Amino acid sequence: MEDYAQVTNAGVAEGSDRAFERIIGKSAALNFVLDQVEQVAPTDSTVLIEGETGTGKELFAHAIHNASQRCGRAFVKLNCAAIPLDLLETELFGHEKGAFTGAIAQKIGRFEMANKGTLFLDEVGDIPPVLQPKLLRVLQEQEFERLGNGRTHKVDVRLVAATNRDLVKMVALGQFRGDLYYRLNVFPIRLPALRERREDIPSLVMHFLEIFSQRMGKQVPSISPETMTAFQWYSWPGNIRELQNLVERAVILSRDGVLPNPLDRGRREVITPALHHAQTYQPLMSSENSDSILILRTLEQAGWVVGGPSGAAAKLGLKRTTLLAKMRRLGISRPIPRDATVIGGIQKEYARV
């Protein structure tokens, strides 16, 4: 059975290029986050990484450690949600022999293991209220006591915490201490969801394709445009972790060197209708404007062919008549070339149905 926490001595060479080498993508949203990491990594300030499940919070915690002056020291990680509540205190702070029934030997806690290094607390929002004052103390004073011993231990630990929960809301509801939240929130970093960095999807697909092809001993040199389009327009509720799992599934199912589309109709992960994509793709825009952008981009990818198996309607998961009605309502038509034919003062319609 795997331990709840893992300790690594990263030993990554100094320089942000090496520290970020496992992070794939070049989108503006990703570059913004990497700029934040570069700014905060050389300091010893506490970092709070927020984001949906599967966005790569642990990977960015590693990047912060690897780009810091502590990169040659221990990187200790602990998933607070994976540990029974009655064991979390001893996992964090350790215990002495005989401290409680079953404590047959002394145990070193994660703070002590991370001394001079970095401690990554994942799912920090799951720490129960009874332990929150003790966590606050070690963050403020850099000292703690093992369970069953009143002797104070001093540590030098850089904390990186992560959560997919709304800590501000939890504070308002009395589920999370406000003073602890502000102590954790010294330097917040919000990771974008995959739907907010869609331009990185092709690079991520190729990255995971290479990994799983080598692991399974398969040659999968090509991906059909239809499959890549499906990947780019899917809403990805599970983010990068879901993408990784689906690429692995597709490699298993691949034949003749072509990666199949694991988002085919009939599967649970079927692509949702266009309006759903519009709402998730650009939440700061109106649904009508974002729907127009999605339809226009899909029409361009389909060569402005509306119907048929390779047409825009099929790519969007809509009926041809439904898409045409949406195009009329939104005033969408194919751009008219300079040499377009004009009949009776009316420009000829160029979208092929």
Side-chain angles (χ1 to χ4, degrees):
M1 180 180 295
E2 292 184 355
D3 196 0
Y4 292 121
Q6 182 175 341
V7 185
T8 59
N9 289 306
V12 174
E14 293 183 5
S16 60
D17 289 343
R18 289 295 305 278
F20 303 156
E21 62 185 1
R22 294 177 58 203
I23 298 174
I24 307 299
K26 297 181 179 179
S27 64
L30 180 62
N31 284 331
F32 178 76
V33 172
L34 293 179
D35 286 342
Q36 290 182 301
V37 171
E38 280 190 318
Q39 289 177 309
V40 75
T43 73
D44 278 335
S45 297
T46 301
V47 179
L48 178 62
I49 304 176
E50 301 174 291
E52 298 178 8
T53 298
T55 49
K57 293 185 284 292
E58 182 180 333
L59 189 63
F60 281 87
H62 267 291
I64 292 170
H65 173 76
N66 292 343
S68 75
Q69 298 301 313
R70 299 173 183 256
C71 65
R73 305 281 186 168
F75 178 87
V76 182
K77 62 181 182 180
L78 179 67
N79 187 333
C80 300
I83 303 175
L85 299 183
D86 56 343
L87 296 180
L88 184 55
E89 181 176 4
T90 185
E91 288 292 335
L92 286 169
F93 307 115
H95 65 250
E96 298 293 342
K97 180 180 179 180
F100 52 86
T101 302
I104 60 176
Q106 183 189 74
K107 179 180 177 64
I108 302 299
R110 303 308 174 181
F111 272 98
E112 203 166 348
M113 293 169 64
N115 190 35
K116 303 298 182 181
T118 301
L119 175 62
F120 173 52
L121 293 183
D122 199 5
E123 304 301 346
V124 71
D126 287 85
I127 293 180
V130 67
L131 284 183
Q132 292 176 19
K134 296 184 178 182
L135 177 59
L136 177 63
R137 181 196 171 198
V138 73
L139 293 180
Q140 290 179 331
E141 308 295 336
Q142 293 280 289
E143 62 182 30
F144 68 95
E145 289 85 35
R146 294 189 195 128
L147 196 63
N149 189 331
R151 179 170 167 270
T152 299
H153 296 268
K154 299 288 291 187
V155 288
D156 175 14
V157 173
R158 199 264 181 86
L159 182 73
V160 179
T163 183
N164 62 0
R165 304 182 68 177
D166 187 342
L167 295 186
V168 174
K169 183 177 180 180
M170 292 179 67
V171 170
L173 294 174
Q175 299 170 348
F176 201 85
R177 290 180 62 106
D179 48 3
L180 177 57
Y181 167 71
Y182 294 119
R183 187 63 187 83
L184 292 171
N185 199 44
V186 175
F187 195 92
I189 294 178
R190 178 191 170 275
L191 300 188
L194 187 54
R195 61 182 174 273
E196 298 171 6
R197 41 177 295 209
R198 292 182 182 272
E199 55 266 53
D200 291 334
I201 290 177
S203 297
L204 287 164
V205 171
M206 298 306 297
H207 172 70
F208 292 130
L209 176 59
E210 181 180 359
I211 290 175
F212 293 119
S213 296
Q214 291 180 356
R215 186 176 299 175
M216 299 178 195
K218 282 192 169 185
Q219 295 294 324
V220 189
S222 63
I223 302 175
S224 70
E226 291 77 16
T227 296
M228 188 61 79
T229 298
F231 276 128
Q232 287 187 288
W233 291 118
Y234 179 54
S235 57
W236 298 112
N239 293 290
I240 298 174
R241 184 179 296 123
E242 183 183 12
L243 173 62
Q244 177 180 344
N245 293 340
L246 283 179
V247 172
E248 181 177 5
R249 180 191 305 176
V251 172
I252 294 172
L253 298 172
S254 64
R255 296 178 180 177
D256 303 322
V258 178
L259 191 76
N261 179 9
L263 295 166
D264 278 340
R265 296 172 184 268
R267 297 185 183 275
R268 181 178 297 179
E269 301 85 3
V270 63
I271 297 177
T272 51
L275 184 57
H276 172 73
H277 280 294
Q279 292 170 339
T280 58
Y281 177 57
Q282 191 59 270
L284 298 180
M285 300 176 64
S286 69
S287 61
E288 184 169 270
N289 286 341
S290 54
D291 209 15
S292 296
I293 292 173
L294 175 61
I295 291 173
L296 280 168
R297 289 183 176 178
T298 307
L299 282 166
E300 290 171 355
Q301 291 174 353
W304 285 86
V305 175
V306 175
S310 300
K315 295 179 183 296
L316 291 168
L318 300 174
K319 293 182 178 178
R320 182 182 63 85
T321 53
T322 301
L323 177 55
L324 288 172
K326 281 180 173 287
M327 290 171 62
R328 285 192 293 270
R329 177 172 59 82
L330 297 170
I332 295 175
S333 61
R334 185 175 185 177
I336 305 299
R338 292 181 178 180
D339 59 347
T341 303
V342 177
I343 303 176
I346 302 176
Q347 290 177 323
K348 189 176 180 181
E349 176 61 60
Y350 275 82
R352 301 194 299 277
V353 299

